Amino acid sequence: MTRSPASPPDLGSYVRAAAGAGELVVQPRMGMAVPSEMAAGLTAVAGLAERTVGTITLDSYTRVGDHSAAVAAVRAGKPLNGFPLVGHGPRITAKVAAAAGRHTPVQVRHGSADPRAIFRTMAAAGLGTSEGGPVSYCLPYGRTPLAESVAAWREATRFLAEESRANGIRAHLESFGGCLLGQLCPPSLLVAMSVLECLFFAQNGMTSVSLSYAQQTSPQQDVEALAALRLLAEELLPPTVDRHVVLYTYMGVFPRSVAGAGLLLKRSADLAVRGGAERLIVKTETEAHRIPTVAENLTALRAAAAQARRTRRELADAPREGSGEAGEVLLEARALITAVLSLSDDVGTALLRAFHRGVLDIPYCLHPDNRGAARGTIGDDGRLRWSEVGAMPLLATVGRSGAMTSNRLSLMLRRVAEQHDREASRQAPEPVAAPVAPEPLRIGLIGGGPRGLSILERLVARCAERPPARPVEVTAVDPYCIGAGRIWRPEQSPWFLMNTPAREVTMFSGPSDGGPARPGAGPTLAEWWAVADPENADPEGYAPRVVYGRYLRFVLGLVLDARVPGLTIRPVKARALTTDRGPAGDGTGEPVHRVRLDRGDVITVDRLVLASGHPTNELDEQQREWLNFAEMHPPLRYVVGDSAAEMPLDAVPPGATVGVLGMGLTFYDVVAALTLGRGGRFLPAEGGGLRYLPSGREPRIVPASRSGIPLLTRGRNQKTAEFRYRARLFTPERMAAMRASGPLDFQSQVLPWLLAEMNIVLLGTRLRHAVGPDAEREFGEAAAAVHREEPPSPAALAVLAEGFGPAGEPLDALWRLARPFAGRRFASPAEYRQELADWLREDLADAVLGNYEGPVKAASDVLRDVRATIRSVVDFGGLTPDSHRRFLADFNPVAAVISTGPPAQRSEQFLALLAAGVLEPVGPAARFRADRDLGCFTVESGQVEDSRVRLDALVDARVPSTDLRSDRDPLIRGLLADGVIRTFVNSWAGGAFDTGGLATTDTPFHPVRADGGIERTMFVLGIPSEHTRWFTQVGSGRPGPWGAFTRDADAIAEALLAEAAPRPRSATAEPAGMLAGRAAR
Amino acid sequence: MSPTRTLTPYPLRPAAAAPEPAESRRVLLTTGSSDAHTWNLVYLQLLLEENGHSVLNLGPCVPEQLLVDTAQLTRPDLVVFSSVNGHGHLDGLRAARALRAERSTSDIPLVIGGLLGISPDGAEQRTAELLAAGFDQVHSDGTKPDVLLSYLAQLPATCTERAAA
């Protein structure tokens, strides 16, 4: 038989082949409204190592024939509970079904009493496998008269059989007769109905059928029922009709607990094997709560298949004795079938007459064509029995046992669920048998920004080099944009710039090597930008954040397309809300993490990586006061948010006076949004620099900060990507030796070495220009040789430098660079602004000289070059508590002003806006106030006379610092409350400083639990661990030798993959004895 | 299909004498036009009958027009809409609008309960929409049956009295 090339393989043959190989075929129920999601689900199911059948479950509008409602719901973006096959039409359906690949059959499951439209669309899409039945999809589930259903099914069955045959495929129908209402129907009627419907199918042209049975209340009775089903099928179905038996995992009220649900699922797989069913349709751990996710379905499929293999091994070891006897169920089922078939030669007509006369009567079925006289009940032995048989040719096996009450009904309906919940909670963890196929290591990655992506990149690169010993499945979760995260997501203002030159940015852990770009070898941002957008790219400059966002998405695309054997990565756009621990995972023997997502589902993982990036914190008292004040004084506004992209800046009206608190990087974003974003333009000015051409829609911008200056301009980059600075005095070795003696005082012990290092560069660069490179080198060597024990003072270095040539004044203190107006008084705002402009022009001139040729910027760049050494001193408790506090309060902001500044372009824009009167900085030591008398915000500089300005709006442009205690992220809060994570408290010699950052170990960065143990199933990378580590807010790797960004990601990837090697594992939490530093105290 | 047959209430009555409450109410029990589940309906019918109320159970997949027609014919004291297939909010909106659009049924008390969406996501918005469409109460999954019984008990007047007023 020639099969249409696009059609999935034949279900009957596939199941037969699996049965021949001793494998149970497992199948989910799965239906998504959106074609791409449906397709992804099918691909995932088909991708499992188990023998699976893909399922397209239809939504309930399609089921009742309301295709317009289904389409309307999809258009309106309203969620549907399945795939609206008819609404989507054959073309889309065929494309979706093709996602299962060429080797996995696909079945359409629907529940319709009139499947004609569904089968028509299926046939046109090249699909021939479905299920249902004239009774099983009519009486229990709708109000279509049975006669109409029988007629529709007769026509539809014939159509599907013939049309499929014409298409070169063999149609297959599965009877749903083994379910009926799912509960409280004694097995004999289920078996009879399955056989009768399959006879109906066969009579109407089907040559391949499956007979169903749903797991009930008694395993023994269920085995009997399955035996009866097989026997009657052999007796009654024409020998030419291909057939197999399919078992449904329990269809009634499902256990609420994950363990209980898992137990019931495993029992169904066990039953399938013992009862001789060839296929199993599973339920998931979360069945009781909602429609399961793809991941939960995959978990269920794997668990079922694994249990089936265990049972098969057990049976091989200990052959069963007579458990396959059909007994009572067979007798009853045969009596029912015989009675029905005696009513007419046409099975459809016989079924109609049977229900009319009450020869068939489904207990508790509300359909008007059902007699409603029969009742099922659960006996003391757990078996389902008839308490009322009505007109059926059966004997009631239990006497009338009193009226059915709502309470009794409810108890019976919940019996199986509660029994399994109870048993599972009592059961000790089952001894883990050696798995036949290795269970995958499931990893949850929370945060899809650059940090998360860096881990994915290394996972793929490592797996490509060496496939993991067992499968690894990563679910990457981010509510904004997987790959780019919130800060870099491609949908934001094009005016927001990166802070690092495009040439110095890469997300690949290795350079392009001539081969295709792939994890481990790919272009830098600059290289990619030049090719991706040649018209607008400025590869030598600073890319807009949107461009980096697109680059990150490009990298993600390569990561997802890599298709490395053994590694699956699934991006999920959702917010992780909570996580808790479940029972031991099959894979690792350790409690799994169950992460609940805001879209309602739960992902179950063995390892959890937290890379959630910039925090969103609770407002502090001052901020709350300002917010209340603004709300009580409309139209006054207080705008607060950690990122300008999220601020409602459009609400600031033109001409309004808007104060901006903070003059850091967010300040530049705010200014860009309020000027460029409102149609203003910067044009080249005569005599250099820029001038601003306003649009007229700008507000008046009044920025203020502690220092009264913006960030220092980034020096023009003159260092290649491969450049690595070699320190003379502030060496990693010296710092390591100092740290070995115990916690340090940064200000007195570390900073002098750092300052000396900067002075060596400052003075040395001047010597290079005045005398030559030899003088610079000799000065550096001399400085290193002379000052071995104590750090040299700036004056001492200046004296030493004088010996080599004119070297000028040293830098006497770091803060001087960042606080040029310290202690100054200005007679008027105009005077301050004049000086500010002069100072910034000078800074720009320094920047133009460059970060190698310009003495000042070369010295400033030392802070960036030795960042890793500073980290080696500070991270994991390297400073005393008191020094750590002062390091964060004093050094950190000064270092930020000096070394994290914007490109020259931004400083030039600052000057142009200053000249245009759009920007009116207030002055140093600025204080913002909510003035109750004036009913508005004001700002005033403590160092500038007459500087008070009334504000119509106040924009808070400070970037909130990591502090878990005020973090609004529910996941972080929950982990903190549960004691799984804790803040890093730097404590030493009686002092203690709670940093607010997440306490972790050194590589590979496990969280430290509240009880001091190490949470080895979790990893933390980036900003949440700020303060435990320093300067984690880095969103890109650098080309050339690996920096910390790539090294840290690789360390986590390595640790995760090491866990993918099957080996015995120790306890989850163990005392933190051998930690680097004191993070675990 | 014949509407009279469809209206046949499910003949499920407790054998024991039902408690005689102060006020016996007439309840029209229904579900969404796309909802095929019936155990919830069977249970609610038993529960309401045990508490002395009379129940007309419309069964699964109730079209809006059937609901409106039946409500016009029978003038129940309360319409209970129970749904568990995840489309309850969509079906419920249409049912409420249909009932509220008809003068004669616009004032019949109307409550909804069950699993109303396919995920917990957006439950608050769903509730707000359902209330706005005309439901008097919206009950999430897990609400105790007492809530429905006490709501019935406190209904101020029978339908006929309302019609007269």
Side-chain angles (χ1 to χ4, degrees), chain A residues 198-222:
Chain A
C198 282
L199 286 173
F200 173 90
F201 294 150
Q203 204 168 54
N204 288 293
M206 274 296 140
T207 53
S208 178
V209 298
S210 41
L211 305 101
S212 67
Y213 179 76
Q215 180 186 17
Q216 302 293 329
T217 52
S218 155
Q220 179 58 36
Q221 191 182 28
D222 286 343

Side-chain angles (χ1 to χ4, degrees), chain A residues 709-1071:
Chain A
I709 57 163
L711 300 175
L712 271 71
T713 312
R714 179 75 56 97
R716 187 161 59 90
N717 185 42
Q718 295 163 324
K719 300 173 180 174
T720 65
E722 282 69 34
F723 173 89
R724 286 297 179 270
Y725 177 76
R726 269 201 59 214
R728 299 279 189 186
L729 295 175
F730 191 73
T731 59
E733 297 77 21
R734 171 168 279 124
M735 290 303 123
M738 283 170 58
R739 179 171 171 158
S741 65
L744 301 172
D745 182 85
F746 188 83
Q747 286 71 12
S748 68
Q749 293 176 275
V750 181
L751 189 56
W753 289 106
L754 179 58
L755 184 63
E757 190 69 43
M758 291 174 72
N759 270 315
I760 287 176
V761 173
L762 177 74
L763 302 170
T765 306
R766 291 198 191 120
L767 285 175
R768 188 193 329 138
H769 290 306
V771 184
D774 287 349
E776 180 192 18
R777 184 175 41 79
E778 284 162 18
F779 162 63
E781 285 168 359
V786 173
H787 302 285
R788 293 176 154 282
E789 305 305 324
E790 290 296 317
S793 69
L797 278 176
V799 170
L800 184 65
E802 284 301 318
F804 296 90
E809 289 297 312
L811 177 67
D812 70 341
L814 192 60
W815 62 262
R816 285 215 191 281
L817 287 174
R819 305 277 186 262
F821 299 143
R824 289 284 312 277
R825 306 265 337 157
F826 299 94
S828 69
E831 184 189 320
Y832 154 70
R833 283 178 204 141
Q834 184 57 51
E835 292 223 17
L836 175 63
D838 291 344
W839 170 85
L840 190 54
R841 267 187 219 105
E842 202 177 316
D843 179 58
L844 257 170
D846 284 337
V848 169
L849 290 178
N851 65 355
Y852 182 71
E853 300 292 345
V856 175
K857 291 302 172 188
S860 300
D861 227 37
V862 168
L863 274 179
R864 282 160 48 77
D865 289 331
V866 302
R867 204 174 269 159
T869 311
I870 299 177
R871 288 195 184 111
S872 74
V873 172
V874 174
D875 289 4
F876 308 112
L879 303 180
T880 66
D882 190 47
S883 175
H884 196 179
R885 184 185 290 115
R886 281 184 292 130
F887 172 83
L888 292 179
D890 301 336
F891 174 80
N892 200 39
V894 164
V897 168
I898 296 171
S899 67
T900 68
Q905 178 189 351
R906 285 294 196 221
S907 297
E908 285 177 353
Q909 291 175 352
F910 187 102
L911 286 169
L913 290 169
L914 205 55
V918 176
L919 209 54
E920 298 180 27
V922 178
R927 301 256 317 264
F928 286 86
R929 268 202 196 87
D931 191 313
R932 288 176 202 288
D933 299 333
L934 296 173
C936 68
F937 293 114
T938 63
V939 60
E940 186 172 19
S941 164
Q943 295 172 224
V944 180
E945 300 293 323
D946 299 327
S947 60
R948 192 165 77 152
V949 184
R950 294 185 189 193
L951 304 173
D952 303 312
L954 171 53
V955 175
D956 201 328
R958 296 172 295 180
V959 176
S961 175
T962 299
D963 189 346
L964 303 190
R965 296 161 297 183
S966 64
D967 201 311
R968 272 168 30 191
D969 183 63
L971 184 74
I972 299 256
R973 284 186 163 191
L975 287 168
L976 193 62
D978 292 347
V980 180
I981 60 171
R982 69 175 209 196
T983 58
F984 170 45
V985 181
N986 186 336
S987 38
W988 183 72
F993 167 48
D994 190 342
T995 64
L998 199 160
T1000 73
T1001 67
D1002 203 338
T1003 313
F1005 317 114
H1006 296 300
V1008 179
R1009 303 174 55 97
D1011 61 12
I1014 299 175
E1015 184 51 67
R1016 292 193 188 274
T1017 64
M1018 283 181 66
F1019 303 81
V1020 181
L1021 186 59
I1023 294 174
S1025 58
E1026 180 73 13
H1027 308 327
T1028 303
R1029 314 177 67 194
W1030 179 64
F1031 214 91
T1032 54
Q1033 61 276 28
V1034 176
S1036 57
R1038 281 182 77 162
W1042 282 2
F1045 182 86
T1046 314
R1047 262 202 320 272
D1048 290 355
D1050 185 62
I1052 291 180
E1054 182 183 21
L1056 285 169
L1057 292 176
E1059 314 220 5
R1063 59 183 164 81
R1065 210 166 299 278
S1066 54
T1068 306
E1070 54 190 68

Side-chain angles (χ1 to χ4, degrees), chain A residues 59-61 63-64 66 69 73 78-81 140-145 148 181-184 256 288-291 363-369 371-372 374-375 403-407 409-410 413 598-600, chain B residues 1-2 5-8 10-16 33-39 41-43 45-47 50 57-63 66 85-87 89-91 93-94 115 118-121 129 141:
Chain A
D59 66 291
S60 25
Y61 289 115
R63 184 171 60 71
V64 297
D66 195 351
K78 299 249 184 192
L80 278 182
N81 58 4
Y141 295 112
R143 48 200 326 112
T144 308
E148 284 181 21
L181 282 164
Q183 293 188 263
L184 297 187
R256 296 189 69 83
H289 305 283
R290 64 197 140 70
I291 294 179
Y364 307 100
C365 169
L366 294 178
H367 196 285
D369 287 337
R371 177 164 288 216
R375 292 282 173 278
M404 180 60 84
T405 63
S406 60
N407 199 29
L409 180 76
S410 171
L413 292 175
D598 61 348
R599 52 177 207 183
Chain B
M1 83 183 72
S2 126
R5 289 194 63 204
T6 313
L7 290 180
T8 309
Y10 182 54
L12 234 177
R13 278 190 180 279
S33 56
S34 77
D35 194 343
H37 295 81
T38 53
W39 286 117
L41 303 177
V42 172
Y43 170 80
Q45 176 172 3
L46 286 172
L47 175 83
E50 284 157 24
N57 190 343
L58 287 181
C61 298
V62 180
L66 174 65
N85 74 338
H87 285 178
H89 62 298
L90 300 173
D91 293 343
L93 284 178
R94 287 203 308 271
L115 279 169
I118 63 167
S119 86
D121 223 18
E129 285 177 10
D141 183 36

Side-chain angles (χ1 to χ4, degrees), chain A residues 681-705:
Chain A
R681 286 159 65 206
F682 291 97
L683 304 172
E686 288 173 34
L690 297 173
R691 73 188 165 85
Y692 182 66
L693 193 65
S695 69
R697 292 191 284 126
E698 299 86 352
R700 197 175 145 220
I701 305 170
V702 183
S705 66

Side-chain angles (χ1 to χ4, degrees), chain A residues 146-225:
Chain A
L146 185 59
E148 284 181 21
S149 179
V150 168
W153 271 93
R154 194 180 277 133
E155 186 185 326
T157 304
R158 287 177 183 164
F159 171 86
L160 190 65
E162 284 160 22
E163 195 70 11
S164 298
R165 207 168 287 130
N167 288 339
I169 59 180
R170 179 170 72 169
H172 178 99
L173 283 179
E174 162 194 325
S175 162
F176 197 62
C179 177
L180 297 181
L181 282 164
Q183 293 188 263
L184 297 187
C185 180
S188 53
L189 182 57
L190 301 174
V191 168
M193 194 57 66
S194 251
V195 172
L196 286 166
E197 283 191 332
C198 282
L199 286 173
F200 173 90
F201 294 150
Q203 204 168 54
N204 288 293
M206 274 296 140
T207 53
S208 178
V209 298
S210 41
L211 305 101
S212 67
Y213 179 76
Q215 180 186 17
Q216 302 293 329
T217 52
S218 155
Q220 179 58 36
Q221 191 182 28
D222 286 343
V223 168
E224 289 175 24

Side-chain angles (χ1 to χ4, degrees), chain B residues 40-123:
Chain B
N40 48 324
L41 303 177
V42 172
Y43 170 80
L44 281 170
Q45 176 172 3
L46 286 172
L47 175 83
L48 291 167
E49 287 175 350
E50 284 157 24
N51 284 278
H53 305 293
S54 68
V55 176
L56 183 56
N57 190 343
L58 287 181
C61 298
V62 180
E64 285 84 46
Q65 197 53 51
L66 174 65
L67 173 61
V68 173
D69 292 348
T70 314
Q72 278 177 335
L73 277 173
T74 60
R75 305 289 303 157
D77 296 311
L78 175 69
V79 174
V80 175
F81 188 111
S82 168
S83 175
V84 294
N85 74 338
H87 285 178
H89 62 298
L90 300 173
D91 293 343
L93 284 178
R94 287 203 308 271
R97 284 172 190 149
L99 278 174
R100 293 310 183 222
E102 283 296 325
R103 239 178 81 95
S104 55
T105 56
S106 63
D107 58 347
I108 301 178
L110 177 61
V111 299
I112 185 169
L115 279 169
L116 301 179
I118 63 167
S119 86
D121 223 18

